[in-house]
Amino acid sequence: MTAVLSWGVGLPADFRSEDVFAFHRRDPLAVAERVEGRTLQKGLAWEGRAACLTIRFDGAHASAELAVDGVASAAAPAALAQLLPRMLGLTQQVEAFERAYRDHPQLGPLIARHPGLRVPLSASPFEALSWAITGQQISVRAAISLRRRLIEVAGLRHSAGLACYPDAQRVAVLSEADLRSAGFSQAKAQTLIRLGRLVADDELPLDAWIVTLPVDEIRERLMRVRGIGPWTIDYALLRGFGWLDGSLHGDVAVRRSLQAVLDCPESVTEGQAKRWLAEFSPWRALIAAHLWAVGLGKLP
C-alpha cells in the first residue's frame, strides 16, 4: 500500500530553482536524489517509513507529491504543507536583506550577481546535522561519498527504487562497526550514533525546534554532544532550520571568497572573517551563502 499526498506553493519571480537542483544533485550516483528536467525526486524516511518526495517546478509554481510506503498519519498533509516552502527557502526574507545592502560596496556586487539567492534546506534538521557531521574536516567530494555509504548501510529503500536518507531512529540502531565499514572514522561514527539516539529519545527535539527556533537553546544543547562544535551547529542551523544569522567564519570556502571580495593580498583568518561578518547580523549565514556561490558556483 502506498499513501500519496500532494501540495503546491507559489514562487517569487526571482526564484532560483537551479540552486535547489544543484543542492540535491551533489551525488553523481544519485542514489537518493534524482533531478530530471524541472523535477526533483528525493528518497527520505517519513514517519519511519520509506517515502519518495517529488517536487515539480512550473514557472511561478512548485507542486509536491509525497508517496509513502504504507499508511501516512493524519498529521502528514499539514507536515508536507510546511515542508515544501521550508525546503525551497521561501520562508527566508531575502528581500529585506537585498533592500538593505544592494548599495553596499562589497555586498552590492554579490547581490547583483545572485539576486534572489535563498538557501535550499535539507528535508529535516536531522539530515542537515548528520550531513554536517559527515562533512567535518574533509572535502565536499569525500563527504558526498560518505553520505552515500550512510544511506546504503541504513538500508531504507522506497518501492519506486530510490534509496532513502535515514531518520534518527534508523541511525540510532546502527552499530559503530556498521559505520566504520562504510568508511566513517571512529569519532564520526560515535557522534552520529549518539546524535541518532538523542533525537530518537526526544532529548534533542529537532522537529519541534523547527516551529519555535530557540537558537540559543539549540546551540547550548548541541554543544553538549561530543563531536559537535560551533561550525557544525551553525551549518545545521542554516541548512536544517533556515536560520540566516550563523557566523560561518570557520568555513574555508567562505574565507577564501571573502579574501577575493575584500581584495586582500593574504588569506583571511577566522578572526578577521568573524569581525567582518559581525557587522551584518542578522544576515551572516546568508552572506556566507553568497560567498559560497562566488567561490564554488554552488552552495555546499
Side-chain angles (χ1 to χ4, degrees), residues 119-144:
V119 181
L121 266 61
S122 299
S124 70
F126 178 77
E127 180 177 349
L129 189 52
S130 54
W131 162 243
I133 292 167
T134 300
Q136 291 170 346
Q137 298 181 327
I138 59 176
S139 69
V140 173
R141 182 176 179 178
I144 290 169

Side-chain angles (χ1 to χ4, degrees), residues 203-205 209 217-225:
E203 293 184 45
L204 291 174
W209 284 340
E217 180 184 357
I218 294 172
R219 188 182 300 280
E220 191 270 333
R221 298 270 292 276
L222 289 178
M223 281 296 292
R224 296 182 201 169
V225 181

Side-chain angles (χ1 to χ4, degrees), residues 70-243:
V71 179
S73 73
L80 177 60
Q82 295 175 353
L83 173 66
L84 182 58
R86 191 173 62 81
M87 281 186 66
L88 301 185
L90 297 177
T91 60
Q92 301 165 23
Q93 303 301 313
V94 300
E95 299 86 358
F97 165 73
E98 294 186 355
R99 285 195 301 270
Y101 293 109
R102 63 166 53 103
D103 296 324
H104 187 275
Q106 285 89 36
L107 297 184
L110 293 182
I111 293 169
R113 188 180 299 186
H114 301 105
L117 187 146
R118 292 169 170 79
V119 181
L121 266 61
S122 299
S124 70
F126 178 77
E127 180 177 349
L129 189 52
S130 54
W131 162 243
I133 292 167
T134 300
Q136 291 170 346
Q137 298 181 327
I138 59 176
S139 69
V140 173
R141 182 176 179 178
I144 290 169
S145 177
L146 268 185
R147 177 183 186 269
R148 184 191 311 133
R149 293 182 213 169
L150 170 64
I151 293 168
E152 291 170 344
V153 78
L156 186 64
R157 186 171 293 274
H158 187 257
S159 56
L162 277 179
C164 300
Y165 196 91
D167 56 11
Q169 289 74 12
R170 192 162 286 262
V171 171
V173 299
L174 294 175
S175 68
E176 186 178 324
D178 290 332
L179 291 176
R180 295 283 282 149
S181 68
F184 283 83
S185 67
Q186 181 180 27
K188 285 185 180 180
Q190 292 175 346
T191 300
L192 282 171
I193 293 169
R194 190 178 300 121
L195 173 68
R197 290 173 180 172
L198 289 169
V199 175
D201 293 340
D202 207 31
E203 293 184 45
L204 291 174
L206 298 184
D207 291 340
W209 284 340
I210 293 174
V211 179
T212 58
L213 195 57
V215 171
D216 291 341
E217 180 184 357
I218 294 172
R219 188 182 300 280
E220 191 270 333
R221 298 270 292 276
L222 289 178
M223 281 296 292
R224 296 182 201 169
V225 181
R226 190 165 71 251
I228 294 179
W231 180 89
T232 300
I233 294 170
D234 279 330
Y235 186 88
L237 281 167
L238 175 62
R239 285 293 196 190
F241 296 92
W243 189 59

